[in-house]
Amino acid sequence: MTDTIDRSTDISQPLDRLSADETIKAESDYLRGQIRFDLLDRITGGVTFESNKLMKFHGIYQQDDRDIRDERRRQKLEPAYTFMIRVRLPGGVCTPEQWLKVDELARVHGGDTIRLTTRQTFQFHWIIKEEIRSTIEGLHSVLLDTIAACGDDARGVMATAYPTDSTLDREVAELSKALSDHVIPRMNAYHEIWLGQERIATSEEEEEPLYGPTYLPRKFKIGFAIPPSNDVDIYTQDLGFIAIGDKIGLEGFNVVIGGGMGRADNDPNTYPRLGNVIGFIPKNRLLDTATAVIGVQRDYGNRASRPRARFKYTVDDKGLDFIKGEIEQRLGTLLEPTRPFSFDSNSDRIGWYQTDNGMWNIGLFIENGRISDRRGQRLLTALQNIASVHRGQFRLTPNQNLVVAGVAAEDRDSIDAILSTHGVGTGAEPSGLRRNSMACVALPTCPLAMAEAERYLPLLNSKIEALLADQGLSEEPITIRMSGCPNGCSRPYIAEIALTGRGPGRYDLWLGGSHVGDRLNRMVADNVGEERIVAILAENISKFAKDRDSGERFGDFLARIEET
């Protein structure tokens, strides 16, 4: 299943015809705009179009409840505006104190629910305009912020989630935090608007040393992988670092550039792309390399056509050799040859396992990343109680699960007792399919969603589980991912099974990605409903059960029979 799209034509428009977003950024006074004044407007629960664009750089999205949008329109009411707030959490590392504050804010402002995202951080939903500032102040009190969690900048930095307590693991975790701190915007607007800092009058012009006044053309995603785990899906990152070393230390990184998942329906000039490994750097060149790569995208990215503004298109339009040469020129040295590495999975480890220093971790399956108290399973309260006694860390995973890390052997029973008391993990173990499932939020809050994802995938999984059980494949680990639109926030285009929303109850069905996240899948049916989806999967699962090679993964099987 090779990619056959012709990418030889540069379709970018002349740079004097900038997109509207570029003008908004340029005229924003370094992301201040009119946000402060919009927050004072009590006539509406929302903000202006321009403020909504700028608030994304502050980690905030305006949304509305789409379940009641039509009814409010009939009543001649404005949409039921609320806001999503996303936390910057490098590598998904969180202290118990921070967890307790996130829990408190979710209960007070966020509808008694926390969402773990596909990029290892927290999202709050249902925040009303009057409570945005108090939410951010609460995060600040435990040294958390929301800077660059959204917007045209380097987004939250990911890192392999499963701590082994080796020197290598600790170094990569520390470097992911250092890199995140290095690439966030230096804007004073965040502290002025949300934390009450006064603007200081000065004759010196404010500046963004890395980004400039118009920041990047589009969002830019960075991740760290520690082989053999590819849980961060390194080939989907704009910039990826594959750690090379051993348990006693880190040597450096293989550098990956140009990955990305987003596409638009019926637009062949947009497409998912796997990143290219372009060479190796020693660990002391990490920050310089990130600065160089971001600078190339800042200077060469398409600012005229926003759909073509991601770094993956810059790489294709300018050519990989040109981009690599520009990076090396800015570094002042050539990249070293790529070092050997291999991946064996992009899945999460669920259950207890011991680390190198004798401590214990437990990986918890969190379906689609939603943490709340539901009938029979009070997950939100269970984790609150664990955070009250836990002496280690929490690690959010790229697959929307959670690791309670650094548990002493004598504390295991108490953790298990808390989980059991609250109904967590007391039922049947999730199937191999469900353990490897992931969905974006989609409806009712995401304004881009065209179909359900988080609310629907568990139901579809049950139907697919029945197909697998009929073939004796209930424990087969198959990745399935669902996004409510083609933008692909759940990284669907590398999954063995993927669905991307086209309309209510309608999806494009994609098959044949790799279980280790290094191959794109292909669309096998477009704009189909559940009946057709289940029929296609039933046919392919039956073939897989009969004709697979020993140990062959579902996606690899589909890729093989497609090529024969």
Side-chain angles (χ1 to χ4, degrees):
M1 297 186 186
T2 56
D3 189 355
T4 59
I5 297 174
D6 179 9
R7 298 173 177 167
S8 59
T9 304
D10 183 352
I11 64 163
S12 60
Q13 302 172 33
L15 291 182
D16 59 349
R17 292 164 53 189
L18 299 178
S19 68
D21 288 71
E22 295 301 312
T23 302
I24 291 172
K25 288 183 285 185
E27 296 177 351
S28 70
D29 190 18
Y30 289 95
L31 305 181
R32 293 178 179 86
Q34 299 298 308
I35 295 172
R36 184 189 296 271
F37 302 104
D38 278 358
L39 294 174
L40 298 174
D41 185 354
R42 294 295 180 259
I43 296 176
T44 174
V47 297
T48 62
F49 176 82
E50 290 79 9
S51 288
N52 185 32
K53 290 283 186 179
L54 296 176
M55 285 169 68
K56 293 178 182 180
F57 291 82
H58 301 250
I60 305 162
Y61 277 84
Q62 178 175 280
Q63 301 180 332
D64 74 281
D65 188 341
R66 294 177 60 182
D67 284 347
I68 61 174
R69 182 187 286 178
D70 289 343
E71 177 60 28
R72 290 183 68 85
R73 185 183 295 118
R74 284 191 290 270
Q75 296 181 28
K76 302 189 185 316
L77 299 172
E78 74 171 7
Y81 289 123
T82 57
F83 292 82
M84 181 270 281
I85 296 178
R86 183 180 295 152
V87 180
R88 183 173 69 97
L89 196 71
V93 178
C94 174
T95 68
E97 179 189 16
Q98 290 170 334
W99 186 281
L100 289 171
K101 177 56 67 172
V102 168
D103 176 273
E104 174 191 325
L105 294 172
R107 294 173 188 273
V108 174
H109 303 304
D112 294 311
T113 181
I114 300 169
R115 186 53 150 70
L116 308 187
T117 78
T118 59
R119 293 193 63 80
Q120 295 182 282
T121 189
F122 302 104
Q123 283 182 184
F124 300 101
H125 291 268
W126 313 108
I127 307 290
I128 63 174
K129 185 168 71 173
E130 292 80 3
E131 296 178 355
I132 299 174
R133 184 177 283 116
S134 57
T135 302
I136 292 179
E137 288 173 344
L139 293 170
H140 181 70
S141 71
V142 290
L143 305 181
L144 292 174
D145 62 64
T146 66
I147 300 171
C150 321
D152 298 344
D153 44 37
R155 299 280 185 94
V157 175
M158 300 175 71
T160 294
Y162 281 87
T164 61
D165 286 311
S166 67
T167 301
L168 177 63
D169 169 72
R170 289 192 295 272
E171 283 193 88
V172 172
E174 290 167 2
L175 286 172
S176 70
K177 174 67 164 62
L179 181 56
S180 178
D181 292 342
H182 178 71
V183 300
I184 61 171
R186 296 292 178 251
M187 58 170 170
N188 295 320
Y190 182 87
H191 294 84
E192 293 170 10
I193 294 170
W194 310 112
L195 301 174
Q197 185 180 93
E198 291 294 328
R199 186 171 187 178
I200 300 174
T202 176
S203 59
E204 295 183 8
E205 183 177 351
E206 189 171 350
E207 63 176 357
E208 285 278 9
L210 179 59
Y211 293 108
T214 52
Y215 298 83
L216 294 181
R218 285 292 295 274
K219 59 187 175 183
F220 191 94
K221 298 181 178 181
I222 301 174
F224 289 81
I226 304 177
S229 174
N230 187 27
D231 57 349
V232 302
D233 289 327
I234 200 72
Y235 299 106
T236 71
Q237 310 288 338
D238 292 89
L239 173 59
F241 296 101
I242 301 172
I244 304 298
D246 55 31
K247 291 183 178 180
I248 63 172
L250 173 70
E251 298 175 31
F253 300 96
N254 287 335
V255 180
V256 184
I257 64 169
M261 290 283 93
R263 56 179 287 274
D265 272 335
N266 302 316
D267 184 355
N269 291 312
T270 65
Y271 44 80
R273 185 188 192 279
L274 295 181
N276 300 97
V277 182
I278 60 170
F280 173 86
I281 59 166
K283 62 184 179 182
N284 63 355
R285 302 306 302 272
L286 173 68
L287 300 186
D288 290 341
T289 301
T291 298
V293 177
I294 291 171
V296 170
Q297 169 63 351
R298 178 196 63 217
D299 297 341
Y300 289 100
N302 192 328
R303 294 182 183 268
S305 174
R306 193 161 174 82
R308 288 281 297 190
R310 288 291 299 273
F311 186 43
K312 60 182 176 179
Y313 303 123
T314 309
V315 172
D316 283 340
D317 291 341
K318 299 298 182 183
L320 184 62
D321 289 343
F322 174 85
I323 297 297
K324 181 181 177 183
E326 280 290 313
I327 294 167
E328 290 174 330
Q329 181 177 343
R330 293 167 192 240
L331 279 173
T333 186
L334 298 179
L335 297 173
E336 297 178 26
T338 301
R339 303 283 181 90
F341 68 96
S342 63
F343 293 121
D344 62 18
S345 173
N346 63 356
S347 301
D348 286 347
R349 185 184 298 182
I350 304 300
W352 285 105
Y353 64 96
Q354 195 167 22
T355 64
D356 291 357
N357 66 352
M359 301 295 279
W360 288 85
N361 298 340
I362 181 171
L364 300 176
F365 171 65
I366 312 291
E367 190 160 38
N368 296 329
R370 181 65 64 183
I371 295 176
S372 61
D373 283 347
R374 308 175 190 176
R375 185 173 55 190
Q377 188 181 78
R378 298 174 59 221
L379 180 59
L380 184 69
T381 300
L383 292 172
Q384 179 196 50
N385 289 349
I386 290 173
S388 298
V389 299
H390 183 41
R391 293 175 289 176
Q393 295 178 328
F394 292 93
R395 301 281 284 261
L396 283 61
T397 84
N399 293 299
Q400 300 177 301
N401 296 315
L402 181 68
V403 182
V404 183
V407 179
E410 61 269 23
D411 294 333
R412 283 185 57 181
D413 288 346
S414 62
I415 298 292
D416 282 333
I418 291 172
L419 294 172
S420 178
T421 298
H422 293 84
V424 180
T426 56
E429 289 293 317
S431 67
L433 177 83
R434 201 170 294 257
R435 285 197 308 269
N436 289 276
S437 65
M438 187 159 64
C440 70
V441 173
L443 298 171
T445 52
C446 178
L448 301 178
M450 304 161 84
E452 295 280 3
E454 178 187 338
R455 296 192 296 192
Y456 173 54
L457 182 56
L459 303 176
L460 180 63
N461 276 342
S462 295
K463 297 179 184 298
I464 302 172
E465 284 169 338
L467 301 177
L468 291 166
D470 287 343
Q471 301 294 336
L473 297 171
S474 293
E475 294 308 307
E476 186 68 24
I478 298 173
T479 56
I480 179 169
R481 296 176 179 178
M482 178 177 284
S483 283
C485 76
N487 285 294
C489 291
S490 61
R491 303 190 293 280
Y493 302 111
I494 57 171
E496 294 171 283
I497 303 171
L499 299 106
T500 55
R502 291 288 298 273
R506 312 290 292 186
Y507 299 85
D508 291 341
L509 175 63
W510 307 74
L511 296 177
S514 164
H515 194 76
V516 302
D518 61 357
R519 180 179 60 242
L520 293 175
N521 50 29
R522 67 183 182 93
M523 188 195 298
V524 299
D526 70 303
N527 200 19
V528 292
E530 181 182 284
E531 183 177 356
R532 181 63 179 145
I533 291 166
V534 172
I536 293 171
L537 291 176
E539 178 183 357
N540 283 280
I541 289 170
S542 177
K543 290 179 183 178
F544 175 59
K546 295 174 183 175
D547 301 329
R548 68 186 295 194
D549 291 337
S550 177
E552 189 173 27
R553 297 285 196 179
F554 184 58
D556 295 337
F557 169 78
L558 295 177
R560 176 169 63 81
I561 64 173
E562 173 65 20
E563 292 169 356
T564 58

